[in-house]
Amino acid sequence: MSAASYFPQDIIIKKRDGGALTRDEIQFFARGVASGQFADYQATALLMAIFWRGMTPQEVAWLTDAMMRSGEVIDLNDVPGAKVDKHSTGGVGDKVSLILAPLAAACGVKVPMMSGRGLGHTGGTLDKLESIPGFRVMLSVTEFRDILRKVGAAMIGQTPQVVPADRKLYALRDVTGTVECIPLICASIMSKKLAEGIDSLVLDVKFGQGAFMKRKEDALALARAMVEVGRAAGKPVRALLTAMDQPLGRCAGHTTEVIESIECLKGRGPRDLMEVTYALTGHMLILGGAARDEADARAKMEAAIADGRALTKFREMCAAQGGDARVIDDYSLLPTAQKRLEIRAGADGAGFVSAVDALKCGHAIMALGGGRAAVTDKVDHAVGISDLIKIGEPVKPGALLCTLHVNDDTKGAKAEALVREAIAFSAQPPKSTPLIQDLIQ
Ligand code: URA
């Protein structure tokens, strides 16, 4: 790494005036942020300059690389097999990782997955896994490697040593209006993924009301930028663009999503959730050399679910990470809410479901206590939504729209109001839009 030294203000002025930064300047910035040599006020000034002026693809690749090298880059070379991960930009009811990791491992690729916690209306994989009594997500890199070698999939939280520059920069972006910036999002996500020691990566870039990116054009630009950064790093990356207008599957929350994921591994998953899971896992198998093409991948995945190998992998991973694997056969061992509140259509609820607003459903989960407004908040794993009706389904007055899992009546009433606002009806079946809208590679 370069030892070049600069005045932070010179780098800020260069970007402020629309210049392209050199590799050395970018390295100085990333290292300076991690070490404190680049003061917070200077880092935020540069972030704002990047927000307005943007970055060339080359600058984004250098920023990603410099951020990745600001901390530990995990070396998985001693774990045999192709190491392939998946990252989703997040959405409501997105529990794909819980199904995909054991499924891909059962089909022959290694899945070293480092995930985040939920913040705001989208849930986090780590929080969902922690609904399983005993499940440990904060493992050492040595444990991570061992489980990956023995089981084929390990799902853990980011260790503090990995990409410290991102932890600092993300916190600054969060409070300075610089989160929604494609070069910065791209470098933030890709630096963390490339630090995991992966050989290749599949991305699920979501767009729509319930997603981080509301507009398809922005999601497409982010997907292209991330694929490009992967190419620059010598790691094949494929990105799927998927719609997030309604929650994925019929459950949202923590325990409810764990149960739905286990149901998927038992071959009883809802259509939309399985469509996204098969598509993403399929590309992982192709990138990892475990399938020739999408048809071959699909046949292998269906076989692994039908004969129970994917479920066995989940059981093994759960046990290896300290979780009580008996939950797989007995859901009552998972945290259970005190009440179930059935939300039924009123007299106006006739015809077809025309909308199930994912953002409002996410807010309903937050209202129940199942979300996190600040990183320090505790989540209630037991609360959530199940049996959620889907867009296009016929409905009659009195039909079940969803079940709320509630631990507090006042919170339950707020959540009921939100899900009622989320669900709309039409006399005619709504036009269906494809869930998977593009593949970028
Ligand atoms: N997720 C990340 O990890 N980083 C971003 O900048 C945005 C979403």
Side-chain angles (χ1 to χ4, degrees), residues 50-225:
I50 294 171
F51 183 94
W52 285 111
R53 292 295 191 172
M55 282 185 135
T56 63
Q58 179 64 84
E59 285 178 285
V60 180
W62 284 335
L63 178 60
T64 307
D65 185 70
M67 285 172 65
M68 176 187 84
R69 290 178 204 281
S70 69
E72 179 180 6
V73 179
I74 297 174
D75 183 355
L76 295 177
N77 278 330
D78 60 345
V79 178
K83 275 81 63 180
V84 192
D85 192 10
K86 185 265 327 183
H87 176 80
S88 162
T89 55
V92 180
D94 182 0
K95 72 273 299 167
V96 167
S97 293
L98 274 65
I99 314 155
L100 163 149
L103 177 58
C107 294
V109 301
K110 296 277 187 333
V111 189
M113 192 175 276
M114 276 198 188
S115 307
R117 296 199 177 272
L119 188 58
H121 68 276
T122 61
T125 299
L126 301 183
D127 299 312
K128 290 170 200 175
L129 289 169
E130 281 179 345
S131 315
I132 301 172
F135 200 107
R136 290 190 308 126
V137 293
M138 296 319 292
L139 303 183
S140 68
V141 171
T142 309
E143 288 174 296
F144 181 53
R145 220 185 252 117
D146 283 350
I147 295 171
L148 193 59
R149 195 183 284 111
K150 282 193 207 119
V151 178
M155 299 175 80
I156 67 165
Q158 205 184 317
T159 69
Q161 291 77 27
V162 171
V163 196
D166 181 63
R167 197 161 298 115
K168 189 88 176 278
L169 285 176
Y170 195 84
L172 293 176
R173 286 167 59 207
D174 203 24
V175 292
T176 57
T178 47
V179 168
E180 299 89 349
C181 170
I182 287 172
L184 296 176
I185 299 170
C186 174
S188 164
I189 294 175
M190 292 301 287
S191 59
K192 287 178 286 197
K193 288 286 129 181
L194 295 173
E196 280 178 0
I198 50 169
D199 298 315
S200 51
L201 176 67
V202 174
L203 295 163
D204 182 4
V205 185
K206 297 197 174 292
F207 67 94
Q209 288 150 358
F212 184 58
M213 294 276 160
K214 305 290 174 224
R215 299 176 339 144
K216 187 174 175 186
E217 309 86 273
D218 293 334
L220 194 57
L222 177 62
R224 289 196 175 121

Side-chain angles (χ1 to χ4, degrees), residues 380-397:
D380 183 344
H381 291 102
V383 298
I385 300 175
S386 64
D387 314 308
L388 184 62
I389 201 155
K390 306 291 295 183
I391 294 176
E393 288 182 342
V395 64
K396 287 189 185 139

